[in-house]
Amino acid sequence: MPSRTPEVDAYIARSAPFARPIFEKLRRLFHQACPDIEEKLKWGCPSFEHKGLVGGFAGFKRHAAFGFWRQDVLPDPLGLFKTRGAFGSKLTDASQLPSDEVILKYIRAAVELNETGAPAKFRGKAKAPLKTPPWFLAALRKNKKALATYEKFSPSHKREYVEWVVEAKTDETRRKRLERALDWIAQGKSRNWKYMKK
């Protein structure tokens, strides 16, 4: 019997009703493809590991997503990564998933990558150094607690906040995001704190 963790049970149970059948199916297929696979919560979402991370899924308000950790080197004979982005992004119904046979094939290939220790390759461009806008820094300086916390954040946590605020489409949205960011930063929260394991 595959090992199933209470944390993943709870994650699925509290997911939106549309997402539960998607997650139950994916969970079953991960275990079917690799009976030794271990399930855990990683970054607050279910992940499946065998000699390293294989893949996982996540639920959002209006959609669900799943994908593979080493998708950059995972064989894609059906071209699903090109046509479906992260293979299973923006799912709202289990019928949108590829067939069980296809998913099993991809999971087994992902497991094999971990078993053979195939090296990863990086396809994307390295991100440019973070440039914090002067108005963002000025707002931080007005909130000593937020500034002290922000200065201790990792570069990735800083980037998440700056990009989230800067990418707002209107001045009003940008102002609201900045206020919320300062509040969360002062509390020591990362931008995606809601998705972190509690």
Side-chain angles (χ1 to χ4, degrees), residues 33-48:
C34 179
D36 296 329
I37 209 154
E38 293 179 56
E39 54 180 46
K40 300 176 181 178
L41 281 188
K42 207 170 202 63
W43 304 292
C45 299
S47 69
F48 297 85

Side-chain angles (χ1 to χ4, degrees), residues 131-142 147 150 157-158 160-166 174 177-178 181-182 185:
K131 291 182 182 174
T132 306
W135 50 266
F136 193 102
L137 287 172
L140 278 169
R141 288 187 189 109
K142 291 177 184 174
L147 179 62
Y150 184 81
H157 281 158
K158 291 178 182 178
E160 286 169 354
Y161 270 117
V162 170
E163 288 178 349
W164 180 59
V165 175
V166 168
R174 188 173 300 113
R177 286 187 181 181
L178 182 59
L182 292 172
I185 293 168

Side-chain angles (χ1 to χ4, degrees), residues 58-113:
F60 304 94
K61 285 184 182 177
R62 294 189 177 87
H63 73 278
F66 91 99
F68 297 98
W69 183 247
R70 304 187 63 202
Q71 188 171 304
D72 62 333
V73 291
L74 185 62
D76 183 20
L78 302 176
L80 295 177
F81 299 148
K82 293 176 186 165
T83 59
R84 294 180 183 230
F87 197 157
S89 59
K90 303 284 185 178
L91 299 167
T92 56
D93 189 87
S95 65
Q96 295 170 304
L97 290 167
S99 71
D100 288 8
E101 294 75 23
V102 167
I103 296 172
L104 287 168
K105 184 176 186 173
Y106 277 76
I107 293 171
R108 288 179 180 132
V111 167
E112 186 178 345
L113 283 175

Side-chain angles (χ1 to χ4, degrees), residues 168-188:
K169 302 230 185 296
T170 66
D171 289 341
E172 178 63 16
T173 303
R174 188 173 300 113
R175 184 190 62 74
K176 286 180 180 176
R177 286 187 181 181
L178 182 59
E179 286 176 11
R180 185 168 293 152
L182 292 172
D183 180 44
W184 287 347
I185 293 168
Q187 295 177 51

